[in-house]
Structures are given as structure tokens and as C-alpha cells.
Amino acid sequence: MRRIGLIAGVVAVVAVWPMAVAQDMQHHHMHGPAAGAEQPQSGAAADPRDLVRLPAPMQEHMLANMRDHLAAVGEIVGNLADGKLDAAAKISEQRLGMTSLTQHDAAHLAPYMPQPMQDLGTSMHRAASRLAITIQDADVAPSVETMAAVNRGLSDTLSACNGCHAAYRIR
Ligand code: HEC
């Protein structure tokens, strides 16, 4: 699992939050799927992330998905802390894992993303599905080892979030 950009990714998550409303005011002109990424501009405020332009409604949809991703991670950790491993596993699979792809309308969004970005998304969903199984295993056989594996799975999932956040922006 990619471990690059951990700090940058965390900063990206925190920094973009207040800007969610401002982007609503952007133009609503529709384009077909372009799936291109623009290279960062040079200059004083150079941002190392590639800009992927999405039609405004898609952008809103993706950011809403993102906020749900973070909410899901919070609920997973909360349920683990409460010893509710079964609930934590369900959230990991249904809200973040491969099962979540239909709910998040991924097939509709994916064509707008360059292939490496889609791949980063897929690796995050796979990591979350693996995490769900690891949590179920720990539920069946709780031990220091199985709980350590759960923490590793959480770390792998968050590394996948951060890998994409370090590489791409949509505004
Ligand atoms: C495939 C790439 C990708 C993956 C994987 C990904 N994100 Fe994001 N995320 C983005 C992009 C792009 C943005 C928007 C950055 C920008 O331009 O402001 C974003 C924004 C966010 C935001 C801000 C939402 C808002 O309303 O401003 C949160 C929170 C977030 N992501 C959480 C997560 C979490 C948690 C995960 C992992 C479980 C995750 N993301 C996985 C690409 C990704």
C-alpha cells in the first residue's frame, strides 16, 4: 500500500473542508467525460496536485462521497472502540468497500477521472473490503494479534485516501 504523501493528504482533507460551499458558485456548464489531468502551474503558490476538472454537479457529488468516507472511518473507529466489531465490519464493507461502489455512483464518476486516479480509488475500496474481513476475523477470534491486524488494515485504508489526496485535486 502506498505510504507517500501521508502528511500532505491529511492537510488536504483538513484544508479543503471550508471550501465546499464556495465551489457551488462555479459555472454549471456540462462537458462530456474528458478524464484528463492538468499539470500543476508553476508560480509562488504552486500546488503539486494535478487538477482534474469535473462538471459542477459531479464535483458536488464526489465531495459528498468524500465527506461520507471520512464519516464512515469515524464510525468504524467508534464501533471498534465500543467493541462492536460486527457493526464496524459492515460499515467498512458497505460505505467504503467494493459494495459501496454502486451507492457512490462510481460507474458514473469514474470516466471523468484519469486512469491512475481511478486505480487509487479502486485500491482504497479494496483496502476497505480487506479491512472488513480482518475485523470479522478479530470478532471471531479476539486477540492482540487480530486487533493489531485491524489497526494495520485501518492504516492501509487511510494510506490509500492520502495517496490520492496527495496526487489530485478537483478545484
Ligand atoms: C481516488 C482519489 C481519492 C480517494 C481514494 C479518496 N479521496 Fe478524498 N478527495 C479526493 C479529492 C480529489 C478531493 C478534493 C480535493 C480538492 O480539490 O479540494 C477529496 C476531498 C476529500 C474531503 C473533503 C470533502 C469536502 O467537502 O471538501 C474529505 C473529507 C475526503 N476527501 C476524505 C477521504 C477519505 C476519508 C478517504 C478514504 C477513506 C478518501 N477521501 C479517499 C480524492 C480522493
Side-chain angles (χ1 to χ4, degrees), residues 1 6 20 35 107 114 142 169-170:
M1 197 53 62
L6 192 69
R169 64 192 171 98
I170 59 173

Side-chain angles (χ1 to χ4, degrees), residues 49-64:
R49 299 171 297 169
D50 287 348
L51 175 62
V52 175
R53 289 191 190 279
L54 302 178
M58 297 270 168
Q59 197 185 81
E60 282 167 36
H61 189 71
M62 179 165 168
L63 291 172

